[in-house]
Amino acid sequence: MKIPSTLDLDALRSFVIGIESGSFAHAALKLARSTSAVSAQLKKLELQCHAYLVVKQGRHVRLTPQGEMLMGYARRLLALNDETLRALRGELLKGEIRIGMQEDFGESLMPGILGKFSRLHPELRIRARVDRNAPLIAALAENSLDIALMWQPPNSPEQGELLTRCPLEWIYHQDVNLDDLLANGKPLPLVMFDSPCLMRSRAIECLDNAGIPWQITFVSHSLSGVWAAVQAGLGLTLRTHFGLPENLLTAGSRLPAPGNLGITLVQNVSSSEDSQMQAVFAELIKDAVAGQNG
C-alpha cells in the first residue's frame, strides 16, 4: 500500500498568512522569515498538491480554484494543530469574553474574527454586541464589555489604541443626479443617522464650510437602514469603505473632502485571565483591520 504524502504544516501556515495579509512579503515579516524562504514553501506546497495555488494580480496574489480548496483545508488543519498544542500545554482559554463593534465593522470584520477566535479557543464563550459608538462607550464605562472596536471619540481621543485612520467618502446611488444638484444649487439630499453621530456632524460641517446647501431627507437608527435608503436613491451619505455595498458610488472630488476618522480599540482589563483573552482577541482585530486597509 502506498503511503500518502504529508502536507507541510509550516508551509500551510505561510500560505494562509500570505493570502490573508495580501502578499507573501507581508507573511515573511509576520513569520520572521525571508521572502525567498516563504516562496520556497509555496512552491513545495504546489508540488505536493500537483497544482498551482496562486496567481499574481498586480502587487497582490489571488487564489486559483485549487488554492481556494486548499485554503479551507489548511485553516482546519492549522486550527487542529494549534488546538492540540494548546491543550497539551494547558493553554486553552476558558470562560467568556464580551466584545463590541461599531456597526460599520460588524458585517465586514466580525464574522472572520469570531470564526478565527472560536477555532483557536473552542471552549471560550463569546458574547458579541454590534452597536453605535455612544452605546459601546457607555457599555465599556459600565464594564459590560471587555473589548470594543469603534470610531475614535472626538472628545476623548486618548481613549484606547488608535489602529488606523480611515478616509470618509460621500456615497450615493446612480439614481441621484449629483452633477445636476450641484450645477443648479439644489440642496443635497442626505441620508444620516439620528443625532448624535460623528459622520452626520462631519457631513453638515463640511457642506456648510463649502457653502453647499443640504437637507436631511432620511434618518435611520441603524446602518442597514442607511444603506437601504441610499441604495433606493433617497440621497447621499457619509461613511467609510467598511461594509460599502457594491452598487453604490463615491463622489470623489466633486464634493469637499470630509477628512478621515480614527479606528480605536478599547479594552477593559479586570484580571490576568481577562487580559490574556483580550490580548488574543485584540491581535485578531488588529490583523483584520490591517487586512481591510492593506
Side-chain angles (χ1 to χ4, degrees), residues 178-189:
L178 179 59
D179 292 325
D180 179 69
L181 291 170
L182 293 172
N184 293 288
K186 297 178 181 177
L188 293 184

Side-chain angles (χ1 to χ4, degrees), residues 97-102 127-150 153 159 266-270 278:
I97 186 168
R98 304 160 302 170
I99 66 170
M101 277 197 183
Q102 219 280 343
R127 185 183 300 175
R129 174 176 179 176
V130 177
D131 215 327
R132 292 172 60 184
N133 251 40
L136 292 180
I137 293 172
L140 286 165
E142 296 165 359
N143 290 320
S144 58
L145 283 180
D146 298 310
I147 188 169
L149 183 70
M150 58 189 182
Q159 184 179 18
V266 184
Q267 301 184 55
N268 281 334
V269 180
S270 57
Q278 290 177 38

Side-chain angles (χ1 to χ4, degrees), residues 13-252:
R13 196 179 301 279
S14 296
F15 170 68
V16 170
I17 293 176
I19 296 302
E20 290 180 343
S21 59
S23 80
F24 289 99
H26 290 161
L29 290 174
K30 290 184 177 181
L31 294 167
R33 294 176 180 167
S34 66
T35 303
S36 60
V38 172
S39 297
Q41 288 183 318
L42 176 63
K43 292 296 182 184
K44 180 179 180 179
L45 273 181
E46 291 183 325
L47 288 173
Q48 288 184 318
C49 298
H50 302 288
Y52 291 109
L53 302 175
V54 300
V55 293
K56 287 187 177 180
Q57 192 172 50
R59 293 182 299 172
H60 302 286
V61 293
R62 66 174 177 82
L63 294 170
T64 64
Q66 292 83 1
E68 289 180 344
M69 185 184 302
L70 177 62
M71 193 70 170
Y73 286 113
R75 284 173 170 151
R76 287 156 57 191
L77 286 168
L78 290 171
L80 183 58
N81 173 82
D82 297 346
E83 182 184 340
T84 300
L85 290 177
R86 285 192 301 273
L88 291 171
R89 296 168 181 169
E91 296 174 357
L92 283 179
L93 294 178
K94 298 180 180 180
E96 180 181 81
I97 186 168
R98 304 160 302 170
I99 66 170
M101 277 197 183
Q102 219 280 343
E103 282 188 288
D104 295 79
F105 314 130
E107 290 186 7
S108 56
L109 297 183
M110 182 76 83
I113 293 172
L114 293 183
K116 287 184 181 179
F117 195 74
S118 63
R119 289 192 295 270
L120 286 170
H121 300 284
E123 296 187 38
L124 186 66
R125 297 187 304 276
I126 304 172
R127 185 183 300 175
R129 174 176 179 176
V130 177
D131 215 327
R132 292 172 60 184
N133 251 40
L136 292 180
I137 293 172
L140 286 165
E142 296 165 359
N143 290 320
S144 58
L145 283 180
D146 298 310
I147 188 169
L149 183 70
M150 58 189 182
W151 298 117
Q152 185 180 38
N155 299 325
S156 54
E158 73 284 350
Q159 184 179 18
E161 178 184 357
L162 179 64
L163 302 186
T164 188
R165 302 198 70 84
C166 201
L168 289 166
E169 299 278 1
W170 295 101
I171 299 166
Y172 67 105
H173 190 269
Q174 62 182 2
D175 288 346
V176 175
N177 193 331
L178 179 59
D179 292 325
D180 179 69
L181 291 170
L182 293 172
N184 293 288
K186 297 178 181 177
L188 293 184
L190 301 181
V191 173
M192 293 290 162
F193 275 127
D194 52 339
S195 295
C197 171
L198 294 174
M199 297 183 193
R200 174 178 173 141
S201 300
R202 182 73 64 87
I204 292 172
E205 178 184 6
C206 192
L207 294 176
D208 283 346
N209 289 341
I212 297 175
W214 56 270
Q215 60 180 353
I216 293 179
T217 55
F218 187 91
V219 174
S220 176
H221 299 285
S222 68
L223 183 58
S224 60
V226 168
W227 289 136
V230 175
Q231 290 179 91
L234 300 185
L236 300 86
T237 195
L238 188 69
R239 308 301 302 174
T240 69
H241 67 272
F242 282 99
L244 176 64
E246 293 182 358
N247 64 335
L248 296 181
L249 308 172
T250 56

